Amino acid sequence: MKNLPQRLYELTQWLIHDHTLIDIGCDHGWLPIHSLRNGWVSAAIAVDRAIAPIQLAAKHGKDVVGLKVILSDGLDDVDVPMDSVISMAGMGG
């Protein structure tokens, strides 16, 4: 598995173990995947508005327990659990 880039690793310092990470603009899914694999969160939702990043996140996280991948423009189609931490840290186009 690819190492988590430093800019994304810095975000993990804000995560709460028993919470759900919602990563808006997930791109490849590395933040939610690493966060689950390392036990930094109990669940994670990878969200993107484009199909290609969603497919990548699903492919990279196919064996990761607790990962959901959702095609949505921001939080439009996401049921946000009360115990959520939301990341909107994409680099943008």
Side-chain angles (χ1 to χ4, degrees), residues 73-86:
D73 189 0
L75 294 171
D76 286 351
D77 300 309
V78 180
D79 290 326
V80 179
M82 290 294 292
D83 65 345
S84 295
V85 175
I86 298 173

Side-chain angles (χ1 to χ4, degrees), residues 3-17:
N3 288 331
L4 193 61
Q6 186 64 33
R7 73 175 190 85
L8 294 179
Y9 180 77
E10 293 297 325
L11 297 174
T12 68
Q13 307 308 302
W14 296 91
L15 300 176
I16 301 170
H17 173 70

Side-chain angles (χ1 to χ4, degrees), residues 25-81:
C26 70
D27 194 22
H28 32 58
W30 293 132
L31 181 60
I33 290 168
H34 275 269
S35 297
L36 284 166
R37 285 190 172 154
N38 287 288
W40 299 328
V41 294
S42 59
I45 303 171
V47 181
D48 209 290
R49 66 181 181 172
I51 192 70
I54 289 299
Q55 289 172 333
L56 270 178
K59 177 182 172 187
H60 294 150
K62 68 179 181 258
D63 299 327
V64 178
V65 175
L67 178 67
K68 277 189 189 177
V69 179
I70 298 175
L71 180 66
S72 177
D73 189 0
L75 294 171
D76 286 351
D77 300 309
V78 180
D79 290 326
V80 179

